[in-house]
């Protein structure tokens, strides 16, 4: 049986307490600049970082059993209550059927505890209905032809299977073609040789912005 450790003196207890409190409330000093009413400082302007920066932080924190992350366990436990909002933001910015790739800004915690998609997708209602209306027609045709349908095995991952790394397994995969309605009439394209795309002015105007990420967000000629 190992000998019992000697009792701590009052000075050592005070030193440990001060160290614990300084670590616990140090975030107040870091974020004091966000409240200009107290000290007159403005919030620092942060520059956008490349996506590889966030991917490396999340990849480094994939295995939390290491002792180097023992001091951040309280941060990770506190971040659990924000997981529903993070999932909500992820679903909110999910690519639509007419988009094969969507690039969004990400807001992340420096410890890798949690990250949020920092964008609110906004589309005016008539354009949104037109986008989904055309996608619904094309998906009905796709369901009828059965060209790109694939059956999935559920559950897709086994319980013992490790999480796939995005950069190693998904980043280099070519995304499938988006579901978009082709404008124009084939008969009109054969008859009219002057128009290269076989579209009239209205169809050409609508096709130029209908499937954009934020259609009509900027003036269109």
């Amino acid at each position: 049986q190992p000998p019992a450790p000697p009792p701590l003196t009052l000075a050592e207890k005070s030193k440990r307490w001060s160290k614990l409190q300084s670590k616990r409330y140090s975030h107040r000093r870091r974020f004091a600049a966000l409240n200009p009413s107290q000290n007159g400082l403005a919030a620092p302007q942060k520059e956008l970082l490349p996506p590889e920066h966030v991917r490396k932080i999340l990849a480094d924190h994939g295995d939390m059993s290491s002792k180097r992350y023992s001091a951040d366990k309280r941060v990770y436990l506190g971040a659990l209550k924000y997981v529903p909002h993070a999932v909500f933001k992820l679903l909110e910015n999910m690519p639509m059927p007419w988009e094969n790739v969507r690039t969004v800004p990400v807001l992340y915690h420096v410890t890798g505890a949690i990250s949020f998609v920092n964008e609110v997708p906004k589309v005016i209602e008539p354009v949104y209905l037109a986008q989904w209306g055309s996608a619904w027609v094309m998906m009905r045709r796709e369901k009828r032809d059965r060209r790109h349908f694939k059956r999935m095995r559920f559950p897709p991952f086994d319980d013992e299977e490790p999480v796939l790394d995005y950069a190693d397994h998904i980043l280099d995969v070519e995304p499938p073609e988006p579901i978009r309605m082709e404008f124009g009439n084939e008969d009109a394209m054969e008859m009219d040789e002057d128009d290269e795309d076989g579209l009239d002015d209205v169809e050409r105007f609508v096709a130029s912005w209908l499937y954009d990420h934020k259609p009509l967000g900027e003036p269109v000629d």
Side-chain angles (χ1 to χ4, degrees):
Q1 184 177 359
L8 298 175
T9 62
L10 185 61
E12 292 176 343
K13 289 182 178 180
S14 177
K15 187 176 180 180
R16 285 193 177 187
W17 175 258
S18 300
K19 184 178 180 180
L20 177 64
Q21 296 305 308
S22 62
K23 182 184 294 185
R24 182 179 181 183
Y25 296 108
S26 61
H27 68 281
R28 294 190 176 183
R29 293 195 298 270
R30 292 202 304 268
F31 296 110
L34 298 178
N35 192 356
S37 61
Q38 292 183 359
N39 48 23
L41 297 176
Q45 186 69 27
K46 298 181 179 179
E47 296 189 9
L48 295 177
L49 297 174
E52 290 78 13
H53 180 75
V54 182
R55 291 170 189 159
K56 185 178 186 306
I57 291 179
L58 298 180
D60 293 343
H61 292 75
D63 184 13
M64 300 300 299
S65 60
S66 177
K67 291 184 178 181
R68 58 183 292 195
Y69 303 120
S70 59
D72 296 333
K73 287 184 178 180
R74 185 181 296 271
V75 178
Y76 290 95
L77 291 176
L80 289 177
K81 63 181 178 181
Y82 300 106
V83 170
H85 184 68
V87 176
F88 164 72
K89 295 298 294 183
L90 190 64
L91 295 176
E92 186 183 44
N93 290 273
M94 183 183 298
M96 296 292 105
W98 51 88
E99 297 176 321
N100 55 353
V101 174
R102 177 184 289 191
T103 304
V104 293
V106 175
L107 189 68
Y108 67 95
H109 196 270
V110 290
T111 60
I114 198 167
S115 60
F116 301 97
V117 178
N118 192 22
E119 184 170 309
V120 179
K122 294 182 180 180
V123 184
I124 58 177
E125 186 175 355
V127 175
Y128 194 65
L129 292 176
Q131 290 174 332
W132 270 109
S134 63
W136 181 74
V137 172
M138 295 303 297
M139 284 191 288
R140 285 193 63 187
R141 297 177 184 175
E142 178 66 31
K143 187 176 181 181
R144 178 196 63 193
D145 300 338
R146 297 279 179 173
R147 289 183 301 175
H148 303 293
F149 268 68
K150 294 182 180 179
R151 296 188 178 275
M152 281 194 64
R153 175 181 58 87
F154 286 96
F157 300 105
D158 190 70
D159 294 340
E160 304 293 332
E161 190 174 351
V163 180
L164 295 179
D165 186 71
Y166 176 82
D168 295 340
H169 298 86
I170 305 177
L171 185 60
D172 296 333
V173 177
E174 190 70 22
E177 294 184 1
I179 302 176
R180 295 185 178 184
M181 180 177 289
E182 296 181 0
F183 291 89
N185 191 349
E186 294 181 357
D187 298 335
M189 292 176 63
E190 294 177 359
M191 294 174 60
D192 194 355
E193 298 180 355
D194 296 335
D195 287 340
E196 297 180 357
D197 49 10
L199 304 178
D200 56 22
D201 295 338
V202 177
E203 288 182 335
R204 189 179 297 107
F205 172 73
V206 173
S208 64
W209 52 259
L210 179 61
Y211 294 121
D212 291 345
H213 174 46
K214 293 183 178 180
L216 301 179
E218 298 179 356
V220 181
D221 296 335

